[in-house]
Each structure stands twice: as structure tokens, then as C-alpha cells.
Amino acid sequence: MRIPLSSPDITESEIQAVTSVLRTPRLSLGPKLEEFENSVAGYTGAAHAIAVNSGTSGLHLCIRALGIAEGDEVIVPSFAFIAVANAVRYERAIPVFVDVDSETLNLDPEKIEAAITPRTRAILVVHTFGRPADLSPIFSIARRRRLLVIEDACEAIGAEYEGRKVGPLGDAGVFGFYPNKQITTGEGGVIVTQSSQVAALARALRNQGRSNAGEWLEHGELGYNYRLSEINCALGIEQLKRLESILKRRDRVAREYHRRLSGNQELKLPPLDVPGRRISWFVYVVRLGARFTQQQRDWIWRAMASRGIGCGRYFAPIHWQPIYKSLAGPRQDLPNTEWSAARSLALPFFNNLKQAEIDEVCQTLQELMQAVPD
Ligand SMILES: Cc1ncc(COP(=O)(O)O)c(C=O)c1O
């Protein structure tokens, strides 16, 4: 794509940091891992940070470390990346889909209560597209109904809810560092938690179930190899140092899009500011107006691609995925999820997107909206 959907932003000093690890004898489980974990913990206000090899493995370890098991129900949004529900199913627990708020695209707290059953153990909250979910009412439901809260902050490092960084505010949370994210480690993720018990278990599970206190090769748990190498951690340490300036830059890109598109009555734009919250812009997702069908949205997506502009159709709801169609379990209607999924279009969004490129994306999108066949 001439103008891709996303593009990592890697500096020369970051390349140097990575190559200098390759000149040392420690390529895994070394000082860079510890430094990266300490940096993420310090930045987010978490007591513990455990680096893993993806956001998905981080979510899986949260489920395992919190004791969620076969037959337990976990409330999740369907308007989300598929790993959110997969991580629940890895442990034979059941994801129960709840609708999102039509404005924020985050879990609608008012719809959660109706989905709770005696088997519900947890609410898995996603900070969709980097916009913090409405945590206060979710925490109060969780307290009242004795449920755990897991924050999927894979798309939201640096986002704040009432002045506090999201991630470690619930029982456990996860950040993701795939190359399309605000900062990247190539592949990777970090679990954050205030609980030393959850942290110790997650740390052991990441490394084949080996406990810290145990002897070499003593495995107390059925664990995994979810380790993150020193090479990835070295990149993460350097990227994290630049996160604040990256977030400011992404905020400017979002405002540039808004300025150019806000006059178009047929587009629903993401809110630029939400009171009491700081958005960490992951992607810029517009929704086409009611006159557009899903097929027409797809036509626009293809036509943008044929002009060299990469767009995304975020999200295809999880309950529409073939692997989830046969899933047993209670299911609410999900009208906001389905409406938004059919009309959403993620526009090219990355740190170094140029003004002229934003102009071209906006102009092409609006031309195609007029040209779309019936
Ligand atoms: C909301 C959300 N959860 C989980 C993940 C999984 O992260 P990873 O791709 O690093 O496994 C992602 C994305 O990439 C995501 O966007």
C-alpha cells in the first residue's frame, strides 16, 4: 500500500539497542527483561509487570492465574479482537458476549448485569481502540457480584481513566506490542497486576510452570513457553521512553482527521475527548451513516485499497466468526456491535502520517462515498 493502515516507527537508536543485545551472551531471561518489566510497571503504576510473547498469551495467563476454569463464564465484548474470547476458551471457560455502547464502542455497563449468572466469574473489559472503558460502574458491579475484572489494554498503553493509567486497575491487565500498536516489541505483551500472587503464578506459567523458589527444572504448574526474548525487550525499553511523545503525535493525527471530516454528515467520527479520560490513539475508526450497507462499506474498503490506501474493517464481531457460531451459552442481542461492525472503517493511522496523506485519504474516502453503487 502507498499509504498503509499502520506503520511501525523505529529509530536508529532503537536499532542500535537491539543489535547491542546480539553482542551479549544473554538472549533470553536476562537484564533487558527485568528492565522492560520495571519500566512498564513504573510507567503504569503497577506493582508487578510480567513480559510475555504476545497480548494473546498475556490474556491466557491472566485467565489461568486468576483460576478461571472449565464451565466458568466470562463477560466479554463481541466488538473486539478474537483473542479476547479465545483466551477464555483455551481454559474451556465460556465467553458471554455483551453489547457495546454505540458512542464509545466499549462494553456498555448497563447491559452487563443481565448477562450475569451463577457461573459468571469475571468481566474482561477491552479499552477499545485506546479509549478507556467506563470502569467505575464496571468495578461497582464486580464488587457487588463478586466478580474479577481483567483489563484488555492491548490497544491502550498510556490511556488514563480518572487520572490513572489503565491496565493495573482491575485484578490483572494486559498490554500488546504487535507492530501496529502505539509502541512495539515486534511481537510481545506485558501483564500488569497489583497482586503478588497473580504475578508469581503468571511468571511461573510463562516459563513452563517453573517456580522461582523451586529448584532448576522443578515444574509446579502446567506451564507454557510464553517468554519474551532480550531482543524484543531491548526494543520495548527504547520505545517506551518515547511513548509520551508518540501519544501526542497520534493525538494530533486524530485531530487532523477530525478537522477534515467533521463537516461530512454521513460519517460518524470517534469522539476526540472524553471527560475524565485520556485516549491513547491506537486506530482512527469512522463509521459510515445509516444509508450504507455492509456490502457498500466493503466496496469502499476495496476501492480505497485499489488506490493504494490501506483501511481496516475493525471489528468483525467475534460472534459472527465461524469458530464461534456454534458456541453454546447465553447470548444477548448485540445491536450496537452489529451496526458498528457493518459500517466501520479504520483509516491509515501511524506516527509519521503526513498532512498530504491525511488529505488524500479524506478526499478519496469522500469521493468513494458518493460513487458507491446501490
Ligand atoms: C484488544 C486486543 N486484545 C488482544 C490482542 C492480541 O494481541 P497479540 O496480537 O499481541 O497477541 C489484540 C491485538 O492485537 C487486541 O487488539
Side-chain angles (χ1 to χ4, degrees):
M1 290 291 161
R2 228 169 8 86
I3 309 179
L5 176 58
S6 70
S7 175
D9 168 16
I10 309 289
T11 62
E12 273 310 313
S13 69
E14 288 162 0
I15 293 169
Q16 291 226 332
V18 167
T19 53
S20 60
V21 169
L22 294 170
R23 296 180 209 286
T24 74
R26 289 295 285 272
L27 300 185
S28 189
L29 295 176
K32 293 295 173 191
L33 173 66
E34 202 178 326
E35 188 182 343
F36 184 43
E37 291 181 338
N38 289 340
S39 308
V40 174
Y43 177 76
T44 60
H48 308 277
I50 302 99
V52 288
N53 57 7
S54 73
T56 307
S57 46
L59 284 175
H60 182 201
L61 290 194
C62 288
I63 299 286
R64 267 290 300 274
L66 290 169
I68 295 165
E70 181 160 7
D72 289 342
E73 291 175 6
V74 179
I75 288 172
V76 300
S78 176
F79 190 82
F81 188 60
I82 195 156
V84 171
N86 285 353
V88 174
R89 289 188 74 197
Y90 293 157
E91 293 304 315
R92 299 183 189 279
I94 302 162
V96 175
F97 297 117
V98 166
D99 208 6
V100 291
D101 177 85
S102 61
E103 272 301 302
T104 65
L105 298 175
N106 283 316
L107 266 184
D108 183 347
E110 295 196 357
K111 296 191 176 150
I112 290 177
E113 204 100 33
I116 297 175
T117 76
R119 295 199 297 183
T120 309
R121 288 287 318 281
I123 306 170
L124 204 170
V125 187
V126 180
H127 300 298
T128 311
F129 303 150
R131 195 173 311 126
D134 198 2
L135 290 174
S136 284
I138 292 174
F139 284 141
S140 76
I141 295 169
R143 262 194 307 274
R144 201 159 11 90
R145 307 295 295 259
R146 295 176 179 277
L147 303 176
L148 299 159
V149 176
I150 301 166
E151 288 180 80
D152 181 339
C154 281
E155 301 178 355
I157 189 154
E160 292 175 17
Y161 185 82
E162 290 172 0
R164 295 159 75 202
K165 297 262 183 333
V166 302
L169 303 178
D171 294 281
V174 183
F175 299 109
F177 299 122
Y178 186 73
N180 65 352
K181 298 297 189 296
Q182 293 88 334
I183 58 171
T184 186
T185 55
E187 292 279 359
V190 171
I191 300 167
V192 283
T193 181
Q194 308 295 11
S195 158
S196 45
Q197 206 183 333
V198 170
L201 193 46
R203 218 174 272 288
L205 290 169
R206 161 184 78 179
N207 190 19
Q208 307 290 6
R210 209 174 282 168
S211 75
N212 247 356
E215 294 296 310
W216 178 243
L217 291 185
E218 184 180 294
H219 303 270
E221 296 281 339
L222 176 65
Y224 310 89
N225 177 358
Y226 284 170
R227 297 185 298 261
L228 189 67
S229 84
E230 290 289 284
I231 302 158
N232 302 92
C233 291
L235 179 56
I237 292 163
E238 298 306 312
Q239 288 255 297
L240 189 62
K241 288 179 189 162
R242 289 200 295 128
L243 179 59
E244 282 302 313
S245 76
I246 286 172
L247 294 184
K248 287 197 185 98
R249 171 72 196 132
R250 293 173 87 90
D251 187 69
R252 279 203 296 277
V253 175
R255 285 172 202 281
E256 287 297 330
Y257 268 127
H258 189 90
R259 200 166 60 76
R260 286 164 175 76
L261 296 173
S262 56
N264 189 323
Q265 300 305 313
E266 290 196 312
L267 279 174
K268 190 165 174 48
L269 305 183
L272 285 181
D273 299 288
V274 187
R277 304 185 209 178
R278 180 197 192 190
I279 299 168
S280 162
W281 288 92
F282 165 48
V283 281
Y284 188 86
V285 178
V286 301
R287 283 171 287 170
L288 305 174
R291 92 168 157 93
F292 294 90
T293 63
Q294 186 173 352
Q295 288 70 27
Q296 289 173 317
R297 187 278 310 267
D298 292 346
W299 182 89
I300 292 172
W301 171 75
R302 269 190 295 274
M304 293 287 278
S306 72
R307 286 163 171 73
I309 300 173
C311 293
R313 294 173 290 179
Y314 296 156
F315 279 110
I318 301 173
H319 71 284
W320 282 357
Q321 301 293 339
I323 190 79
Y324 277 87
K325 286 227 168 101
S326 62
L327 183 71
R331 159 93 41 94
Q332 295 184 344
D333 289 339
L334 305 167
N336 295 338
T337 296
E338 295 187 354
W339 198 93
S340 290
R343 290 173 186 80
S344 60
L345 201 62
L347 305 182
F349 193 79
F350 46 92
N351 301 349
N352 298 320
L353 194 59
K354 300 187 187 72
Q355 299 274 353
E357 292 172 323
I358 299 175
D359 280 339
E360 185 184 336
V361 172
C362 295
Q363 200 180 329
T364 311
L365 171 64
Q366 297 187 94
E367 278 169 22
L368 292 171
M369 285 169 67
Q370 294 313 314
V372 73
D374 290 335

